[in-house]
Amino acid sequence: MFRLEARTSTPAWFNLALPLLAIAVALVLCSGLIAIAGAGVIEAYSVMLSASLGDSYAITETLVRAAPMIFTGLAVATAFRAKFWNIGAEGQLLAGAVASCAVGAIPMPGYLAMLLMALVGAAAGAIVALVPATLRVKFKVDDVVSSLLLNSVIYYALMALIEGPWKDTFSGYPISPPIEDSANFPVLIEGTRLHIGVVVALIAAPLIWFLIARTTLGFRIRVTGENPEAARYGGINVQRVLLSTALLSGALAGLAGVGEVGGVHFQVMSDISPGYGYSGIVVAMLARLNPLGVVPAALFLAAVMTGAEAMSRATGVPAFLSDVIQGTALLAMLVALLFTAYRVRRVGASA
Amino acid sequence: MSAVFEQIFQVGFLAAIIRIATPLAFATLGEMFSERAGVLNLGIEGIMLLSAMAGFTAASLSGSLWLGVLVAVLVGALMGALHALFTVALGLSQHVCGIGVTLFCSGLAYFLYRLIFGQQSVPPSIKGFQPVPIPLLSDIPILGPAVFNQFTLVYLAIIAIPLAAFVLYRTPWGLSVRMVGENPRAADSAGVSVIATRFQAVILGGALMGLAGAFLTMAQFNAFTFGVVSGRGWVAIALVVFGRWDPWRSAGAALLFAFVDALQLRMQASGLGHIPYEAFLMLPFIFTIVAMAFMSRNAVAPSALLKPFRREER
């Protein structure tokens, strides 16, 4: 007989083993779809691997894809640490993109424009995230639903802008005017799209880790998430911590939008984010809400996305496989997390 | 303004409202059953999409629309069962699982659609459901042709609303659903299986979401496109809250939203008014968020929503 038993602590190697297990399970399950599509599983996955990590150009493309998901992953991880259920990273990203694009279109010295784009974009994301947090703190409104619904509000606001007053007069499509050339983020390696925003994303992860693991605010965030009663008893203003967390989380998601505008698209269109905000939830869960884990998790999803397109061209398996892998990996990770709460114990048959 | 009024009282306009409201009514009732049992199902957006795709595919390959509807309902129920497996049986976080189900279902729908139909410049379409006039009733002026000359699925939605209210408020099973959503501990003591009841409610909810998806691809658009659901699942989440988890109010909310949506479509088409149509599409979300702030004091949401139930834990 086997029995589930509550665990009090988990060994450190779980942090690495569980996401790897989840990813392995997702890849195995999705290999069924590759087989249904009539392609070789090994072949498809190896094309995916070589097209995303096989040469230096591929690696830069994967990094460019990963940057927004590092930011949204950090946004979700930070929020979930405080048990502020921010499902709204998608909308916060869009708000950051719109705000930074508006700033980037103003003629001014390039370095100043980039700095302002980052500041204004982060602020826009933070303000959006403040809405569900304020509603929760002041009116006890469920943050899951309110942050999710705000995504649709922001999306339609963006559409109204780019189909209306903000539409680029030189384009037939609903698309915003481009930012100034001088505000385009510098490319680090000639002939690639690797822009400075990717480096900022890679630096942001250890910074957020430090903030959460080593600072007073980080301590408050963790205690608020783990035990709000104890936090209150210990003199922590839980409501203020939730609002601060929301500002931080929203700012990070906003920066994801800034990077897409300044480094990749240079303008705003309706599909500027292929769901990076929702992918941030997958990234954060795979990372077990650890900011340092967000980087490899985002790189994994980015590699799957870049690899899937090449795999589709080479084998005819639809590139949408990457979306299925993403969803399956999230669900597998959630199941794997059960191992952190319970352990399977063998108990005597007579017991 | 008078031009707007003339538009409103046209038969075509009323009929459009009913048609827009139908998939929302199915989806909203589905989400409501799930949430009344204590399970938030954010998988709704993906479940609707996958059902819409599966139903369309079945109908287009077999030539039978009703087989398509059946497949859509079964796929919806199956995905409901998947969500219940994670959130009810395993007690995993409902919102994150819901997002996972939506990502999984959407990805699978896109993947399978592309695999079966390939990449075509014009999406393949089918001959969808045709309106079935109800004798006598369809002769009533204005209301008749608008309400009683509709698709069979529309009539089904009209019947589903009182039926849902009856099931929820007047049957033992409905009582169980409400109990496990409000106070699972008490329900358990009273001999109601919390796990089984929640499973049933989430599966029924998934089946209704499947019907919503079926309506989109087999009656409303007669084709599957990647944007066929385009946020209608999230609208349903809002409508359930706005309708205070009650079948009548939720259906009323769906009708109200359909009115606003039909109005913006008319204004877009006729060039009336200068308000961007997105402003109308935003309304249900903004209204719901504001309404949530006012409602929170009354605590009308099922008390055990988002809370997993484990018998051995206290």
Side-chain angles (χ1 to χ4, degrees), chain A residues 161-248:
Chain A
L161 281 173
I162 60 176
E163 287 191 350
W166 206 31
K167 185 174 179 300
D168 185 8
T169 39
F170 298 105
S171 171
Y173 298 102
I175 193 165
S176 82
I179 57 174
E180 291 282 313
D181 286 348
S182 60
N184 291 4
F185 289 0
V187 170
L188 301 174
I189 302 172
E190 196 72 29
T192 71
R193 298 198 298 168
L194 192 70
H195 58 88
I196 192 93
V198 179
V199 179
V200 177
L202 290 171
I203 295 170
L207 283 181
I208 296 298
W209 174 83
F210 182 81
L211 188 145
I212 289 185
R214 294 280 185 271
T215 67
T216 320
L217 175 63
F219 173 74
R220 289 182 176 147
I221 288 176
R222 283 181 286 132
V223 176
T224 299
E226 279 155 29
N227 194 340
E229 285 309 310
R232 236 171 250 127
Y233 194 70
I236 293 175
N237 185 339
V238 170
Q239 303 202 332
R240 261 185 68 177
V241 173
L242 282 173
L243 294 176
S244 313
T245 309
L247 285 175
L248 181 62

Side-chain angles (χ1 to χ4, degrees), chain A residues 37 85 135 139 141 144 148-149 152-153 156-157 159-160 163 282 317-318 320-321 323-324 328 330 334-335 342, chain B residues 86 92 95 97 99-100 103-104 107-108 110-111 115 226 234 277-278 281-282 285 289 292-293 296-297 310 313:
Chain A
W85 302 118
L135 286 171
F139 301 102
V141 171
V144 176
L148 173 77
L149 296 186
S152 301
V153 176
Y156 288 124
M159 290 302 290
E163 287 191 350
V282 184
V317 177
F320 295 110
L321 186 72
D323 299 84
V324 191
T328 316
L330 175 57
L334 290 169
V335 176
Y342 298 96
Chain B
F86 289 128
L92 301 171
H95 45 282
C97 276
I99 296 292
L103 289 175
F104 172 76
L108 196 61
Y110 297 153
F111 180 89
L115 195 63
F226 291 162
W234 306 141
Y277 71 91
E278 291 92 350
L281 295 178
M282 247 186 244
F285 299 105
I289 293 170
M292 275 161 70
S296 59
R297 293 171 202 286
R310 289 194 189 92
E313 282 172 18

Side-chain angles (χ1 to χ4, degrees), chain A residues 337-348:
Chain A
L337 283 174
L338 280 177
F339 290 114
T340 63
Y342 298 96
R343 64 165 72 201
V344 184
R345 251 295 152 80
R346 225 198 152 110
V347 290

Side-chain angles (χ1 to χ4, degrees), chain A residues 64-82:
Chain A
V64 170
R65 280 267 193 170
M69 289 188 282
I70 292 177
F71 275 123
T72 54
L74 289 173
V76 174
T78 310
F80 280 19
R81 269 297 178 88

Side-chain angles (χ1 to χ4, degrees), chain A residues 227-312:
Chain A
N227 194 340
E229 285 309 310
R232 236 171 250 127
Y233 194 70
I236 293 175
N237 185 339
V238 170
Q239 303 202 332
R240 261 185 68 177
V241 173
L242 282 173
L243 294 176
S244 313
T245 309
L247 285 175
L248 181 62
S249 172
L252 286 164
L255 285 175
V258 174
E260 290 308 281
V261 168
V264 181
H265 298 291
F266 314 113
Q267 53 198 164
V268 171
M269 62 285 274
S270 65
D271 56 351
I272 188 162
S273 164
Y276 286 141
Y278 300 106
S279 302
I281 298 172
V282 184
V283 168
M285 294 312 290
L286 285 176
R288 294 208 58 202
L289 307 188
N290 181 333
L292 292 178
V294 160
V295 174
L299 282 172
F300 163 70
L301 285 196
V304 167
M305 286 180 189
T306 18
E309 282 153 24
M311 177 206 66
S312 178

